Amino acid sequence: MQLAIIGSGYVGLVTGACFAHLGHDVVCVDSDPAKIATLEAGGVPFYEPGLDTLVRTNVREGRLRFGMDARAATEWAEIVFLCVPTPPLPDGSADLKAIEAVADAIAPALGHGAPKLVVEKSTVPVRTGDWLARLFRERAPEADFDVASNPEFLREGSAIHDFLHADRVVLGVDAERASNKLVALYAPLNAPILVTDLRSAELIKHASNAFLAMKISFINAVGRVCELAGADVSKVAKGIGLDARIGEAFLKAGAGYGGACFPKDVAAFSAIASELGYDFGLLAEVARINDQQRDLVVEKIRQLVGGSARGKRIGVLGLAFKPNTDDLRGAPALDVIERLLAEGAEVLAHDPVARPEGPAGLRQVDTPELAGQGADALVLMTEWPLYEALDWPAMKARMRRAALVDARNVFSPAKMARLGFAYASIGRP
Ligand code: UGA
């Protein structure tokens, strides 16, 4: 099939490259000339394991190309995927400006050739599909088209695997011909396909991310109780997770969730619920608990360095919001660093791939050892495997004081105590 992907960011590029890999003809469009230039030169504008090879192979084999003209791509395509960002507005609701701009640009192309199918892949509030269809009908009254919702469930760092080995494919459609096209498109994945109405599919995306965020905040709150009671949150998580109705996934206590999705989607889901007339207070609590985890990490650092971080040298291991990505959006590490700098600490940070531009005063170093050099404490913020494999006795020798806050519960407290570290983790004695 001929597929146009509008928006070549994280979701768009992974989607485009994977559909090309499945044998479709794909054009990935973006309005940013620098991004298109990078892609045409064989590069990928962000770090995602395996994506550069997948993109280059499919370009070489003639199934994947790039462009800047959304209207021309829509005229050419049978199916058009909207993959543009929907960032949060100050009140938490989703900003649909980019979707609207694309809709304006492609509307004149909808009457061109066979009926077009426009698919929302960006995360949007429920009823965006109805609004899009109305907008298209106004702008292109003669055109024969369908609008569908096909939310993505890719995790950064394993996006290609998640696409090609999906747990499920959700298709929200209001017309049978749209459903037939999308079911045929996804059939080769052999994944369970759930066909729903458009609004339910939109809601599935927000509800999925909000539920996962809720699991993380739940276990972090349990971790607070564990600390007060002298229990171990990792054992509690194991014990409750073995109940198949609960499940072990997303019950890792730590510095809390970050990234471009959970914080934004929890806020946007809450905003659309209240716009529709329901006060989804649970979601505000999920976000509040998540924010508190960052304070908790700072408090643990303070405790290990004698009450205040002022004048202390703190080494930070890991900046990205999780391993295997260079994404710093919503990264707990950046919040913790800002608080430490504001308190008057000297902060040296290492990450194997992420390179933030700030905050001002942060010193980025090229090796974990340099982050520990002369430090009063280290804090592990992202569980990159290389940190677990470090020579910790040698690290201890480099530090001014052997103190470690393990904000991702990577190490065994007994092992770190044996090595002579003053050690704190999250929700464990
Ligand atoms: C998330 C969802 O997992 C995807 O299904 C979804 O498609 C994506 O958002 C999206 O909406 O685009 P992602 O943000 O890449 O994917 O990252 P996750 O692996 O879900 O992790 C999110 C955050 O939760 C990370 O900061 C991670 O460290 C944290 N986390 C995760 C925990 O603190 N504890 C856990 O047990 C699991």
Side-chain angles (χ1 to χ4, degrees):
M1 282 189 223
Q2 295 182 183
L3 310 177
I5 313 286
I6 315 295
S8 301
Y10 198 81
V11 173
L13 198 56
V14 171
T15 303
C18 287
F19 276 135
H21 172 77
L22 294 175
H24 298 286
D25 282 330
V26 180
V27 58
C28 283
V29 175
D30 205 282
S31 58
D32 177 356
K35 198 179 275 175
I36 294 298
T38 303
L39 289 165
E40 284 185 331
V44 167
F46 49 85
Y47 176 78
E48 175 63 29
L51 188 59
D52 48 355
T53 312
L54 196 70
V55 167
R56 277 199 292 273
T57 308
N58 283 284
V59 168
R60 196 175 55 238
E61 293 174 3
R63 290 184 299 269
L64 179 61
R65 62 194 167 86
F66 307 103
M68 294 190 58
D69 188 340
R71 178 173 168 171
T74 303
E75 283 180 3
W76 167 84
E78 293 164 63
I79 307 182
V80 183
F81 286 91
L82 306 187
C83 301
V84 293
T86 50
L89 288 166
D91 68 353
S93 63
D95 183 350
L96 300 179
K97 259 203 306 289
I99 299 252
E100 188 166 7
V102 171
D104 275 336
I106 69 172
L110 291 182
H112 191 97
K116 307 283 181 195
L117 171 56
V118 180
V119 185
E120 305 165 335
K121 224 179 202 329
S122 310
T123 301
V124 291
V126 61
R127 291 186 170 180
T128 300
D130 299 345
W131 166 76
L132 255 184
R134 255 193 330 271
L135 198 144
F136 287 144
R137 274 196 297 274
E138 279 165 28
R139 309 276 202 282
E142 308 298 317
D144 185 13
F145 66 88
D146 294 304
V147 172
S149 162
N150 168 218
E152 59 83 17
F153 303 106
L154 313 174
R155 283 165 305 171
E156 293 189 18
S158 54
I160 295 169
H161 175 274
D162 289 354
F163 187 97
L164 297 173
H165 305 275
D167 287 341
R168 82 304 207 181
V169 171
V170 173
L171 305 174
V173 292
D174 285 342
E176 200 181 335
R177 64 179 179 180
S179 149
N180 292 343
K181 269 190 203 168
L182 288 172
V183 167
L185 184 67
Y186 278 104
L189 295 185
N190 288 321
I193 296 181
L194 175 71
V195 180
T196 69
D197 58 283
L198 221 159
R199 293 174 187 177
S200 299
E202 291 170 331
L203 262 178
I204 285 169
K205 171 68 190 198
H206 265 165
S208 296
N209 274 2
F211 191 86
L212 292 170
M214 182 186 71
K215 280 189 94 175
I216 298 169
S217 280
F218 181 85
I219 202 64
N220 279 328
V222 172
R224 300 299 288 265
V225 181
C226 286
E227 288 189 6
L228 294 168
D232 182 338
V233 73
S234 56
K235 292 183 181 143
V236 176
K238 178 93 190 160
I240 62 176
L242 284 170
D243 183 331
R245 293 170 302 175
I246 296 174
E248 285 183 72
F250 280 72
L251 285 182
K252 268 193 71 187
Y257 61 79
C261 304
F262 287 176
K264 161 177 89 77
D265 291 351
V266 167
F269 195 21
S270 173
I272 187 67
S274 80
E275 200 181 308
L276 292 167
Y278 177 66
D279 176 10
F280 206 151
L282 175 63
L283 297 180
E285 192 58 16
V286 166
R288 191 187 66 84
I289 294 169
N290 196 55
D291 287 344
Q292 278 183 344
Q293 290 307 103
R294 298 164 193 216
D295 295 328
L296 179 67
V297 173
V298 175
E299 186 49 40
K300 283 176 187 275
I301 296 169
R302 284 195 197 109
Q303 282 168 10
L304 286 194
V305 299
S308 163
R310 187 172 184 77
K312 299 292 189 315
R313 177 185 279 215
I314 312 293
V316 177
L317 299 178
L319 293 165
F321 84 96
K322 66 174 190 178
N324 291 319
T325 176
D326 62 353
D327 199 339
L328 289 152
R329 289 174 292 178
L334 293 184
D335 266 354
V336 166
I337 289 169
E338 267 177 26
R339 289 171 209 193
L340 291 171
L341 288 169
E343 197 163 309
E346 182 193 1
V347 183
L348 279 77
H350 172 264
D351 189 282
V353 292
R355 292 279 172 276
E357 277 165 16
L362 169 67
R363 283 170 58 197
Q364 294 179 58
V365 292
D366 292 332
T367 65
E369 287 77 15
L370 285 174
Q373 191 65 43
D376 293 285
L378 275 167
V379 54
L380 188 151
M381 290 301 301
T382 316
E383 64 278 34
W384 287 98
L386 90 156
Y387 298 140
E388 196 176 354
L390 285 175
D391 180 345
W392 282 93
M395 182 65 98
K396 183 182 168 198
R398 289 173 168 273
M399 296 176 70
R400 213 158 76 81
R401 271 189 252 165
L404 173 67
V405 174
D406 176 1
R408 296 291 176 183
N409 289 356
V410 167
F411 297 102
S412 115
K415 177 184 161 188
M416 293 323 277
R418 262 199 314 279
L419 290 178
F421 274 83
Y423 175 82
S425 57
I426 308 290
R428 300 189 302 175

